[in-house]
Amino acid sequence: MKAAVLKAFGSPLVVEEVPDPVIGTGEVIVDVAAAPVLAYADEVFSGARRYLLPPPVIPGCGAIGRVRTVGPDATVLQAGDWVFCDPTVRSRDDARMPDIVLQGWSARGDGGQRLQQYHRHGGFAEQLRVPTENAIRIGPITEAEAGPWCALTTLLVPYGGLLAADLRAGETLLVSGATGHFGSAAVAVGLAMGAACIVAPGRNRAVLADLVRRFGDRIRPVTLTGDEETDRARMRAAAPGPIDCVLDTLPPSVGSPVVRAAVMSVRPGGQVVLMGGVGMLGGDDLALPYPWIMRNDVTVRGKWMYPPDAVARLAGLIRAGLLRLEDYAVAEFPLAAANEAVAHAAGHGGPFRLTVLRPGPA
């Protein structure tokens, strides 16, 4: 099969013939129809993000495709089924604290790196081998719809955070980083889950206005000033009542005061979920007052990715028309143009934009 291979950090991807994946027990082989190219892929491939992705490797975080072959433990999946290849691979020998790897993208800890030695290659290829539980049926689609369905890779991340926060219909949500790629997805997912109102802070007035255009008066935009106290007051004033939940999706380039301004706008008894990258590349870490957390009974938790059942649940929101893939502008590239796709993704990121590779039929 053909694949785009990262030979070394800082080097272009090389599209070449590689051996077809070989199925084992508990695995599925998928013919890849489309694979998302994340906006920061160039930072990963250059080594700037210092991800644990030892080259040579076929990268790619998730894919949409059709089942080619199933192993002996599959009781529902059949050849030809359309599936989302979930890159979040969990070890099977510790149900309480499984090691996790993002297949074709990164790993964490010693156990994750050991897992990565086997579940290594991602979706920038004509075929992909995944654990049986990671080939998740999404129902029938056309070949042309494979690209837009790659938005699952983006939408699932904030969905995992909102599930962790136990967001309830009718609650008020604040999305810190609402004008970004994952933050705008959090806005769409939060509305699909029934949020009555979403406070959307950001510096980009055009993107804030676009969120209101897309979703109406359930969006309460807040233009940030850079002053922590002023911005917190503006966020609270924009909400129709107490803010029940804050979800942070800000990238590593943002300073901790911006996060703190949003986090401390939550009501007493509220939920805060941290999913961003602040502090990952240096700079001050997030500091929150102990008395404020304790006396206000605030829950602050981190969340990485999403639970195993999230894919099917999110697909249900899409099938029900509560979450619209049509909101995404999709730019598609053939596998031979993998480097062009990475460059395009870097220059055309942001809200409701999606770059995909099409290793299979267009």
Side-chain angles (χ1 to χ4, degrees):
M1 69 173 183
K2 289 185 178 179
V5 182
L6 178 67
K7 301 282 189 175
F9 288 118
S11 298
L13 298 173
V14 177
V15 180
E16 61 184 10
E17 289 286 340
V18 300
D20 291 350
V22 178
I23 194 170
T25 300
E27 296 173 351
V28 173
I29 303 295
V30 176
D31 289 323
V32 177
V37 183
L38 302 187
Y40 61 92
D42 63 326
E43 298 176 29
V44 175
F45 301 158
S46 71
R49 289 222 176 193
R50 302 195 293 268
Y51 275 17
L52 295 177
L53 182 68
V57 64
I58 301 169
C61 191
I64 299 292
R66 303 188 79 169
V67 172
R68 170 183 283 259
T69 311
V70 299
D73 63 335
T75 61
V76 176
L77 281 176
Q78 299 181 19
D81 283 346
W82 281 99
V83 294
F84 172 69
C85 298
D86 184 359
T88 312
V89 177
R90 296 168 174 84
S91 62
R92 294 166 167 168
D93 52 356
D94 188 341
R96 186 181 181 192
M97 294 191 304
D99 288 302
I100 299 177
V101 61
L102 290 183
Q103 186 174 1
W105 206 245
S106 186
R108 67 181 191 188
D110 293 338
Q113 292 177 68
R114 288 197 299 272
L115 186 63
Q116 185 186 53
Q117 291 174 12
Y118 184 74
H119 292 296
R120 182 181 186 82
H121 298 302
F124 288 10
E126 292 179 327
Q127 295 178 30
L128 176 62
R129 181 187 65 199
V130 297
T132 303
E133 64 270 24
N134 286 64
I136 302 166
R137 294 187 301 168
I138 59 174
I141 64 173
T142 66
E143 291 282 352
E145 292 173 314
W149 272 87
C150 284
L152 279 176
T153 302
T154 298
L155 295 163
L156 278 163
V157 174
Y159 187 48
L162 296 177
L163 290 175
D166 193 24
L167 180 70
R168 306 291 181 90
E171 290 188 331
T172 295
L173 167 67
L174 184 148
V175 176
S176 180
T179 58
H181 183 68
F182 286 104
S184 59
V187 171
V189 173
L191 292 174
M193 293 174 68
C197 171
I198 296 184
V199 179
R203 287 191 172 89
N204 192 319
R205 293 174 182 267
V207 174
L208 291 175
D210 184 65
L211 289 173
V212 175
R213 179 190 64 80
R214 289 174 184 271
F215 300 115
D217 59 9
R218 290 166 72 191
I219 305 299
R220 304 296 174 88
V222 176
T223 303
L224 296 175
T225 67
D227 179 78
E228 185 175 336
E229 294 297 328
T230 300
D231 288 341
R232 184 177 302 119
R234 286 189 172 192
M235 294 176 202
R236 287 174 171 164
I243 296 171
D244 300 291
C245 174
V246 173
L247 176 68
D248 178 78
T249 63
L250 287 167
S253 58
V254 177
S256 59
V258 182
V259 183
R260 188 164 50 244
V263 166
M264 294 184 66
S265 70
V266 77
R267 66 170 172 81
Q271 304 282 325
V272 175
V273 178
L274 305 178
M275 297 195 80
V278 170
M280 288 177 61
L281 301 180
D284 293 336
D285 203 350
L286 177 63
L288 295 173
Y290 186 115
W292 174 80
I293 297 173
M294 182 270 292
R295 291 173 180 167
N296 288 292
D297 197 23
V298 171
T299 299
V300 180
R301 65 167 294 173
K303 182 61 181 175
W304 194 58
M305 304 305 284
Y306 41 85
D309 66 341
V311 178
R313 295 172 67 178
L314 190 66
L317 293 178
I318 295 169
R319 293 291 184 185
L322 298 170
L323 194 56
R324 289 172 44 86
L325 298 180
E326 295 88 345
D327 284 330
Y328 279 85
V330 183
E332 299 186 349
F333 292 80
L335 185 61
N339 289 299
E340 290 87 341
V342 171
H344 182 275
H348 298 81
F352 306 109
R353 292 181 176 181
L354 185 62
T355 302
V356 301
L357 281 181
R358 296 298 303 257

